[in-house]
Amino acid sequence: MIVKMAGAMSVALFSATLAMAAGNPEAGRVKSEACLGCHGIPSYNNVYPTYHVPKLSGQQADYLVAALKAYRDGQRQHGTMSAQAFDMTDADMADIAAFWQAQGG
Ligand code: HEC
């Protein structure tokens, strides 16, 4: 899934990298509280009903920012994640991505 997406994301990733300031992982921890119910579970399944949720811990910050921008800007369609991302600023995304990257694999 990640491999398949790599091509589609590379353009977004490139522009995100150029524009991105380094995020603050501590600010990102607070901003990520709403994500933990789905993305914080060790088995990477949602609590109810069980469905697969992608692993965020240890992902590259650049990748996470590119994914969040794709949800926000409608390049990537997913009801829940579009709703999560629609009011995020670029700085929010950088902070959140820095937090998740720092969680390790
Ligand atoms: C209700 C459950 C839920 C919540 C809450 C949630 N997510 Fe997600 N998230 C998902 C699901 C399901 C997907 C897979 C969507 C898809 O197939 O595109 C996903 C995908 C993602 C991806 C793409 C991962 C990848 O490998 O491509 C990122 C990044 C992400 N979420 C970040 C967040 C952040 C940051 C928050 C909190 C602000 C959050 N999510 C809150 C369920 C959730």
Side-chain angles (χ1 to χ4, degrees), residues 15-89:
S15 45
T17 306
L18 291 180
M20 196 172 73
N24 176 339
E26 277 311 309
R29 179 190 308 277
V30 177
K31 292 174 185 176
S32 296
E33 267 167 18
C35 328
L36 294 175
C38 292
H39 288 287
I41 319 277
S43 62
Y44 307 110
N45 287 320
N46 190 17
V47 254
Y48 72 94
T50 307
Y51 59 85
H52 182 72
V53 176
K55 175 177 159 177
L56 302 185
S57 305
Q59 300 281 11
Q60 291 291 320
D62 288 357
Y63 173 78
L64 295 172
V65 169
L68 290 170
K69 282 188 177 161
Y71 287 122
R72 184 187 63 188
D73 301 341
Q75 291 149 352
R76 194 169 161 179
Q77 307 277 339
H78 188 268
T80 298
M81 285 311 309
S82 303
Q84 292 289 331
F86 92 99
D87 64 347
M88 284 183 195
T89 65

